[in-house]
Amino acid sequence: MRDPRTVLRRALLLAPTGLTLFVFMVIPMGLMGWMSVLEPDTYGGVRWHALSLDAYVQFWYERDLDDSLILNTAYMEIFLRSFLLAGFATLATLVLGFPTALYIALQDERTRQRLILLISIPFWTNLLVRTYAWMLLLRNGGLIDSGLGALGLGSGALDVLYTPTAVAIGFVYSFLPFMVLPIYTSLEKMDWRLVEAAFDLGANRWTALRRVVLPMALPGIAAGCLLVFIPALGSYYIPELLGGGKSLMIGNLIQNQFGTARNWPFGAALSFTLLALVLLAMIVYTRRFRQAPGE
Amino acid sequence: MNGHAYSIEIDQVSKRFGHGSEATLALDTVSLNIRTNEFFTLLGPSGCGKTTLLRMIAGFEEPTSGDIRLDGVSLTGRLPFQRPVNTVFQSYALFPHLTVEENVAFGLEMLGRDRAAVREAVTRMLALVKLSDYARRRPHQLSGGQQQRVALARALAPHPKVLLLDESLSALDLKLRKDMQVELKRLQRETGITFVFVTHDQEEALTMSDRIAVMGGGKLQQVGSPEEIYDRPVNRFVADFIGETSFLTAEARGSALEFGAAGRLAEGALGTTAQGPVALAARPERLRLSEDGGLTGVVSEVVYRGADTLYLVTLADGQNCRVRHTNRLGARERAVTGDRVRIAAEPGAFQLLTGEAGHA
Ligand SMILES: Nc1ncnc2c1ncn2[C@@H]1O[C@H](COP(=O)(O)OP(=O)(O)OP(=O)(O)O)[C@@H](O)[C@H]1O
Ligand SMILES: [Mg+2]
C-alpha cells in the first residue's frame, strides 16, 4: 500500500525541518554529549580523544588528597535551589496569572485586546534592561527602600538585593506573561455556555470555577507552567544580577564552568543533566495533556 | 407552596438588549401563566424571543421590566443556581471533560446528595433515557441524539420544579424525534414536573402540548390549547404561522358572507355574528369543491400530495383560496387546472381575524 513516490514526497517535505533540527539541535547536542565525556584542557576547552567520566563523577563526589572519593553536596544544593526557585516562580505566577487570565477572558472583545496589549508591553524592552531596573528598585537606598522609609515602615536597609528573594521577585515579574497568555488562550476558547449549564444545575460561582472552568483551562495551565518552569530552571542573568553573582542556580554554575573554572566537560555534563530533566518534564506533559478535553 | 394554581407567572415582562439606537426590544410586555405539571409550548419564528423568555425564567437574564414568579414567589434577583429550574440547552452544553454518568450526577452532587443516592439516581435516569450502556463514555463519543438524551437526563436528575427545553428535539432525525416526543410526554406525566418547551415546529407543538403560546416579533400573539390555536387563530400572524390558511376579505351581512362577484355563502360559514367588512381565515380542509357551493372560481393549480390533493382556486372576485380533499383509492381528481368550480364551506369554516380592517 506504500507507494514509493508517496514515501519520497513525504521525505522531501520533511527535509527542511529535518535539516534544521539536525544542524541546530542534533549536532550541538552531540558535541555537548561528547564533550561531557572528555578530559578538560588546562586553559579551557577539552582534550579530544581523552575519554573520561570524571565530569559526571565530579557532580557527586570530591576527590580527596589521597584520591579517594567523598560525597560532595555543593552541586546538589545548587540543583535543589534551582528547582525550588523555579518551582516557586511557577506556583506564584500561577496564583497571580490564573485570576488575571480569567479576568481578561471575561471582558468584552475590545477590552480584552487592550489588556493583552498591556500584558505584552514588557516584551518591547530587553529583559536585561528590565532586570537592571529591578536592581535599582530593590537595592538598599533604592526606590522601594526609601519609599518604605518615607512611610515609616523601613529601617533604611531593605537587604533584599543579592538574595534568593530578589531572584524570586525577578522570576515572578519576568515570567508572569508566559503564564497569563497560555491560560488566557485556553479560557478564550472556552464555551461559556458550559458555565451557564453548571449554574443551571445549582453550582455556585466557586464550584463552577473548580468543576468546569479549571478542568477546561488545564492544558493552558500546564503549558504556562512549562513555559515558566523550564526557562526559570535554566535562567542565567536574573540570578546573576539579582542574586549577586554567587553560583545560585544551575545556569550560573554552567556559565562558570565554561568561564573562570575552565572545566568544559563539567559544564557540558551539567547542561546534559539539565536537558534530561527538562525532557522528562516535557514527556510527562505530552503524555498527560496530549488530548485536550472535548476533542 | 403547592396551593398555587400556576407554576410560573410571567407578569408584564419586557426585555431590551443594548442601548440607544442599537437597542432591540426582544420581548414586549408578555404576560403568561403556566400551570403546574403542564406541557407548555412557546411557538414562534426565529428571533421572536423564545430563548430570551426561557433564559429569564432560568435566571440568565433579568427582565428589563415586569416580574416572573415561581409558585407565587418572585424570582427577581435570584441567581440561576438558586432557582429550582433546570434547562435542556439548545446546544446541549454537556461537560466535555466528564463522562455521561458524571454529567448526570452533576446536579445531584450540587444538591449535596450522598454518593449512594447519587449513584442510584444516575442509574435510574440513564435507564430512563436508555443510555445505561453508555455511562462511561464522554459526550464526544455519542451521537447527537444520544447527547440530547444525556442533556435531558442531566436536567431531570435533580427533579426540578420546572424543566425548560430549548428546541431540544430540533437536531434529531424524524424517527428519533417521534420517539423522543412520546418519551417527553411520558416523563412529564410521570414526574409531575412543569415542562416549558420551545420550538418553531408547529406540528411538534400541536402534538405534544397541553397549551401553546404563539409568539411573534417579541409579542404574545395567542395562548390556548392546540385545538384553539389551530381552529380559532385570533389574528393573521397565528393563522399564517400554523397550518395552511387562505386569507380572504368579505362582507358579513346577517348570517351570510358576501364575496362580491364570487358569490355568497349563506348560513353560518362565519363562526361569529360580526357585521360589515371582515378579514377572514379558512383552513383548506374546511372547504370543498361542490356543485352546490356558493362561491365560484377557476382552478389555477392542482397539487397532488399523497394523502390529499390541494386545489388553488382564483375566485371570481380575484381573491385566492385553497381547498383540500383527502384522496380515496381509485377516485378521479375532482378538477384540473382551468376548470370552473364552485366552493362550499363547513359551518364555522371561516375564522374572523381581529385587529385588521375588513377590506384590503
Ligand atoms: N444578548 C443579546 N444581545 C442583543 N440582542 C439579543 C441578545 N439575545 C437575543 N437578542 C435578540 O433578541 C431577539 C430574540 O432572540 P431569541 O434568541 O430569544 O430568539 P428565539 O426566538 O430563541 O430564536 P430562535 O428560534 O432562532 O432560537 C433577537 O432579535 C436577537 O437578535
Ligand atoms: Mg432560541
Side-chain angles (χ1 to χ4, degrees):
Chain A
M1 79 178 217
R2 283 216 160 189
D3 176 5
R5 272 176 40 208
T6 332
V7 175
L8 181 71
R9 197 179 307 148
R10 205 170 286 170
L12 282 173
L13 274 172
L14 284 173
T17 319
L19 200 70
T20 313
L21 274 176
F22 187 75
V23 171
F24 294 106
M25 280 287 290
V26 179
I27 292 181
M29 287 295 178
L31 215 57
M32 266 300 176
W34 186 23
M35 234 181 235
S36 74
V37 293
L38 295 175
E39 274 178 18
D41 211 347
T42 331
Y43 304 108
V46 287
R47 289 201 189 98
W48 307 97
H49 309 301
L51 284 181
S52 149
L53 279 178
D54 267 4
Y56 291 95
V57 175
Q58 193 186 349
F59 182 77
W60 300 100
Y61 301 105
E62 218 168 3
R63 231 171 256 283
D64 212 348
L65 292 173
D66 60 357
D67 231 19
S68 66
L69 296 174
I70 29 178
L71 197 67
N72 174 11
T73 55
Y75 299 129
M76 267 177 272
E77 268 167 36
I78 292 173
F79 262 70
L80 189 68
R81 194 183 304 124
S82 303
F83 271 90
L84 286 178
L85 274 170
F88 171 80
T90 311
L91 205 70
T93 49
L94 180 61
V95 167
L96 293 173
F98 184 80
T100 311
L102 185 62
Y103 175 80
I104 297 173
L106 287 173
Q107 304 307 304
D108 65 57
E109 185 72 31
R110 282 182 50 179
T111 322
R112 265 193 269 174
Q113 278 166 7
R114 242 175 258 163
L115 290 173
I116 286 300
L117 189 74
L118 282 180
I119 294 272
S120 60
I121 277 181
F123 293 126
W124 299 359
T125 33
N126 189 302
L127 180 57
L128 197 57
V129 176
R130 287 183 280 138
T131 310
Y132 274 116
W134 271 104
M135 288 179 76
L136 296 179
L137 285 174
L138 290 176
R139 75 190 159 90
N140 283 347
L143 205 61
I144 292 175
D145 196 14
S146 52
L148 285 175
L151 289 171
L153 293 169
S155 57
L158 194 59
D159 287 334
V160 162
L161 193 58
Y162 308 135
T163 64
T165 311
V167 178
I169 292 172
F171 277 172
V172 172
Y173 162 76
S174 44
F175 291 123
L176 192 56
F178 296 100
M179 185 61 89
V180 173
L181 293 175
I183 296 181
Y184 167 74
T185 309
S186 67
L187 287 176
E188 193 208 17
K189 284 189 302 210
M190 169 140 174
D191 183 356
W192 293 101
R193 288 176 298 191
L194 295 177
V195 177
E196 280 194 350
F199 284 157
D200 190 65
L201 291 165
N204 59 28
R205 294 193 184 86
W206 169 244
T207 314
L209 182 73
R210 201 167 45 84
R211 302 240 357 220
V212 179
V213 180
L214 215 56
M216 305 294 286
L218 221 50
I221 290 173
C225 287
L226 274 188
L227 285 178
V228 172
F229 186 77
I230 292 173
L233 190 63
S235 82
Y236 165 64
Y237 50 84
I238 291 174
E240 183 77 11
L241 295 177
L242 298 179
K246 293 169 265 180
S247 284
L248 262 179
M249 292 186 64
I250 308 171
N252 311 99
L253 186 61
I254 293 172
Q255 193 275 338
N256 213 9
Q257 299 313 312
F258 286 98
T260 44
R262 287 189 185 155
N263 191 346
W264 288 25
F266 188 43
L270 288 171
S271 307
F272 234 66
T273 314
L274 185 61
L275 182 78
L277 291 169
V278 168
L279 224 58
L280 207 70
M282 292 294 288
I283 289 169
V284 170
Y285 169 79
T286 41
R287 276 280 157 83
R288 176 67 185 77
F289 298 105
R290 190 169 21 197
Q291 208 180 2
E295 277 172 25
Chain B
M1 289 309 304
N2 262 346
H4 276 271
Y6 295 121
S7 173
I8 296 176
E9 293 161 85
I10 292 160
D11 189 3
Q12 309 258 11
V13 165
S14 296
K15 178 68 187 178
R16 189 185 301 278
F17 287 108
H19 306 281
S21 58
E22 288 172 29
T24 334
L25 192 60
L27 282 178
D28 187 1
T29 38
V30 169
S31 290
L32 266 182
N33 291 325
I34 300 172
R35 297 180 190 124
T36 305
N37 195 24
E38 189 170 31
F39 199 111
F40 193 90
T41 299
L42 299 173
L43 178 65
S46 189
C48 71
K50 306 180 296 286
T51 300
T52 305
L53 188 55
L54 274 203
R55 287 175 60 79
M56 288 196 293
I57 298 173
F60 298 121
E61 310 277 1
E62 281 290 326
T64 309
S65 65
D67 192 21
I68 298 176
R69 288 184 291 276
L70 177 68
D71 290 341
V73 181
S74 172
L75 288 175
T76 309
R78 278 221 261 165
L79 297 168
F81 48 86
Q82 296 163 332
R83 302 183 183 202
V85 173
N86 286 351
T87 310
V88 181
F89 291 89
Q90 198 162 2
S91 57
Y92 311 151
L94 297 177
F95 302 124
H97 59 294
L98 300 181
T99 63
V100 167
E101 59 185 354
E102 286 165 345
N103 264 283
V104 178
F106 195 95
L108 294 160
E109 286 165 7
M110 294 305 124
L111 289 175
R113 300 278 161 78
D114 63 70
R115 265 162 193 271
V118 170
R119 187 158 340 117
E120 192 269 328
V122 168
T123 311
R124 195 158 36 82
M125 286 319 303
L126 287 181
L128 196 69
V129 296
K130 302 190 180 64
L131 283 175
S132 302
D133 296 340
Y134 299 84
R136 295 285 155 79
R137 294 222 193 159
R138 293 286 173 93
H140 70 270
Q141 295 167 313
L142 300 177
S143 73
Q146 289 165 340
Q147 288 181 24
Q148 201 256 311
R149 282 182 282 160
V150 177
L152 186 63
R154 185 180 69 173
L156 272 174
H159 207 280
K161 285 188 175 159
V162 178
L163 187 71
L164 307 175
L165 302 106
D166 196 350
E167 310 213 8
S168 299
L169 306 184
S170 56
L172 308 183
D173 65 54
L174 195 63
K175 168 90 173 65
L176 196 54
R177 191 163 168 161
K178 297 276 180 220
D179 289 350
M180 283 307 293
Q181 289 178 356
V182 175
E183 200 72 1
L184 279 181
K185 279 302 278 186
R186 182 174 65 80
L187 285 170
Q188 178 238 348
R189 276 195 306 272
E190 288 176 5
T191 56
I193 294 172
T194 307
F195 277 48
V196 183
F197 185 79
V198 160
T199 184
H200 54 227
D201 181 335
Q202 43 150 318
E203 195 194 320
E204 196 167 271
L206 291 172
T207 52
M208 296 178 74
S209 317
D210 294 323
R211 284 194 306 151
I212 298 172
V214 182
M215 295 173 64
K219 288 201 181 70
L220 197 62
Q221 303 288 340
Q222 187 174 1
V223 184
S225 67
E227 295 79 12
E228 284 167 342
I229 297 282
Y230 187 81
D231 288 333
R232 292 189 292 284
V234 294
N235 60 26
R236 178 180 279 261
F237 182 89
V238 177
D240 197 22
F241 190 71
I242 293 171
E244 278 179 291
T245 311
S246 305
F247 294 104
L248 299 164
T249 55
E251 190 85 16
R253 198 158 295 159
S255 65
L257 283 172
E258 296 186 353
F259 288 83
R264 68 195 291 273
L265 292 169
E267 43 195 289
L270 180 63
T272 65
T273 56
Q275 294 296 305
V278 285
L280 302 169
R283 301 293 184 195
E285 69 272 19
R286 306 272 186 258
L287 304 176
R288 63 186 192 283
L289 301 180
S290 167
E291 293 299 318
D292 56 4
L295 299 179
T296 57
V298 177
V299 175
S300 60
E301 209 175 324
V302 179
V303 184
Y304 176 76
R305 301 194 299 191
D308 50 45
T309 302
L310 187 70
Y311 301 88
L312 303 174
V313 179
T314 306
L315 297 178
D317 65 348
Q319 300 194 78
N320 288 309
C321 182
R322 294 157 168 250
V323 180
R324 193 162 88 198
H325 279 281
T326 308
N327 292 326
R328 299 235 158 66
L329 262 186
R332 284 187 308 111
E333 280 183 346
R334 281 154 201 274
V336 295
T337 307
D339 281 2
R340 293 188 64 82
V341 290
R342 299 183 80 83
I343 295 174
E346 288 180 14
F350 284 93
Q351 184 63 30
L352 183 71
L353 299 177
T354 53
E356 284 183 56
H359 286 294

